Amino acid sequence: GAVVSQHPSRVICKSGTSVKIECRSLDFQATTMFWYRQFPKQSLMLMATSNEGSKATYEQGVEKDKFLINHASLTLSTLTVTSAHPEDSSFYICSATTGVYNEQFFGPGTRLTVL
Amino acid sequence: AQRVTQPEKLLSVFKGAPVELKCNYSYSGSPELFWYVQYSRQRLQLLLRHISRESIKGFTADLNKGETSFHLKKPFAQEEDSAMYYCALRAYSGAGSYQLTFGKGTKLSVIP
């Protein structure tokens, strides 16, 4: 199956700093990428949907100025957590698909810890 | 808005016993349902989808629109089935976009 990678797998940062997480589709072109957030023992919550070359669509309650998403190419999307705070600590997972109605392939996730 | 409910956080069964992981949904449109599995230290991956009516690794799931359910079943559990299972519903979210709504997941533990 198609492979999606995320980098870094784990990051620890100080409060107030910004962190960038990359999501790459390694062997296919992803027209759409999704960003999810997962709290411990909770389900995946969709944060935003991004289509290559256009602005991301954020879910209700997700601050677009805090979680900046850039989908600059068909194989790369980035999520930047700006001015991170301890409550932003979570597991961030991306997924990618070749079309809006096609299977989503998930990345391994990035564990963010904000001190 | 759509919602997916998995009532059991944890399900423990003995090897060889039947397994049923429950999933109920609420959605005003025509639902498309999936089961995803996450093995220990691995990424989330698609197990099966209702539209395919397939059996993967011995698992099956039938969409019951009357009961708004999509329970996952396997007649004989194996140790390697131990994992986290998520039920998900795909719904149209507007502007030509579809999104997945996940249940909270059920951790299946198969006892040798």
Side-chain angles (χ1 to χ4, degrees):
Chain A
V3 179
V4 174
S5 70
Q6 281 184 242
H7 178 79
S9 58
R10 185 184 298 265
V11 58
I12 301 172
C13 69
K14 292 182 179 179
S15 184
T17 60
S18 293
V19 174
K20 181 185 284 190
I21 303 170
E22 292 185 350
C23 176
R24 292 182 186 272
S25 58
L26 298 185
D27 50 2
F28 67 101
Q29 293 187 326
T31 53
T32 305
M33 287 185 170
F34 303 86
W35 285 96
Y36 296 86
R37 183 174 179 176
Q38 186 176 31
F39 291 103
K41 299 185 179 181
Q42 296 291 319
S43 186
L44 285 80
M45 300 298 295
L46 180 65
M47 298 175 67
T49 302
S50 76
N51 294 297
E52 185 265 339
S54 62
K55 289 184 178 180
T57 303
Y58 290 81
E59 295 302 302
Q60 194 173 13
V62 178
E63 298 176 59
K64 60 180 68 176
D65 294 331
K66 181 166 187 60
F67 298 99
L68 300 178
I69 291 172
N70 186 353
H71 193 161
S73 76
L74 285 172
T75 59
L76 173 65
S77 176
T78 59
L79 167 67
T80 301
V81 183
T82 62
S83 187
H85 287 95
E87 57 265 30
D88 298 326
S89 298
S90 191
F91 197 55
Y92 293 89
I93 303 171
C94 76
S95 71
T97 179
T98 55
V100 294
Y101 205 65
N102 295 342
E103 180 179 346
Q104 289 186 31
F105 298 97
F106 286 82
T110 296
R111 172 77 59 195
L112 170 64
T113 303
V114 185
L115 302 176
Chain B
Q2 61 271 17
R3 189 169 62 197
V4 177
T5 304
Q6 292 179 251
E8 303 139 328
K9 285 187 178 180
L10 174 66
L11 182 64
S12 296
V13 301
F14 285 101
K15 178 182 174 182
V19 174
E20 183 178 52
L21 299 167
K22 291 185 167 52
C23 172
N24 289 89
Y25 67 90
S26 63
Y27 180 52
S28 57
S30 183
E32 188 176 3
L33 287 144
F34 303 80
W35 276 99
Y36 283 83
V37 61
Q38 189 171 27
Y39 300 102
S40 180
R41 300 181 185 281
Q42 294 188 28
R43 68 189 67 197
L44 201 64
Q45 56 186 287
L46 179 65
L47 179 63
L48 54 79
R49 65 189 86 187
H50 95 269
I51 203 167
S52 302
R53 301 184 66 83
E54 58 202 343
S55 173
I56 302 293
K57 298 184 180 183
F59 285 97
T60 58
D62 290 318
L63 177 62
N64 186 323
K65 291 188 178 180
E67 296 182 357
T68 60
S69 68
F70 188 57
H71 303 327
L72 183 68
K73 299 177 183 179
K74 184 170 183 176
F76 308 104
Q78 303 298 314
E79 289 180 66
E80 54 265 30
D81 296 329
S82 295
M84 195 75 183
Y85 291 81
Y86 294 95
C87 182
L89 182 150
R90 180 156 64 188
Y92 184 66
S93 56
S97 180
Y98 290 81
Q99 68 181 54
L100 287 172
T101 299
F102 286 87
K104 291 189 175 182
T106 297
K107 184 173 182 180
L108 175 64
S109 178
V110 180
I111 305 164

